[in-house]
Amino acid sequence: MTNNGLACFSRRMATVTLLLIVVMLLLNAVLWLYPTLAGKDGWGLGFALTERQLSQIADSAALFPWWQKLGGIVLSSIPLLALASGLNHLRRLFQSYARGEYFARETAVHLGKVGRAVAIWVLLDFLCEPLLSLWVTQNAPVGERLITLSVTAPSFVALFLAACIAVIARILSQASEVDRENRTFI
């Protein structure tokens, strides 16, 4: 792929990443407003924390009062905001690549922040799940209230990828230092 083609592809990827951020946050809110979309009888939409909470209780979640739905949106959005931050750094990385800044120190910083944000997303997802499960079952009769906690294989994969991205970011940072030194000798 030529530099011009790579720049064009990077611009497209920056746009797709921005769309992904917006769709992810909007879809999360929509699923709390219309939980039957996430249920097993619905479209099966959802991801991460929202899906784990709503997939089993979609019918009763449709009857939640507005304040309980709003709380569900807020609690389930906390981890997604960390992920959105990481995706925004990924978008900025693609924008830098579109400008031809392949070995700039800022690109390594953006890539490192992507890895950090993915790790924080997994941690916040783990921490927010018990709070959210209490929130959605608070009006249930005594004995039917739940506290859930999930450790899933995708969480371990995400943590592994976050660590890999962090290592690659460090390598890119070293490469930018070498590139800068080489430019001073020329």
Side-chain angles (χ1 to χ4, degrees), residues 31-32 35 38-39 49-58 61 64:
L31 289 175
W32 282 99
L49 192 52
T50 299
E51 179 189 20
R52 288 193 308 271
Q53 291 300 317
L54 289 180
S55 63
Q56 302 302 317
I57 62 163
F64 284 169

Side-chain angles (χ1 to χ4, degrees), residues 79-99:
L80 292 180
L81 289 173
L83 182 60
S85 171
L87 289 172
N88 187 48
H89 281 286
L90 184 63
R91 182 182 70 83
R92 293 173 67 186
L93 177 68
F94 282 127
Q95 289 172 334
S96 295
Y97 288 161
R99 291 188 300 269

Side-chain angles (χ1 to χ4, degrees), residues 57-71:
I57 62 163
D59 294 333
S60 61
L63 303 175
F64 284 169
W66 68 269
W67 56 267
Q68 198 169 13
K69 288 181 180 186
L70 181 62

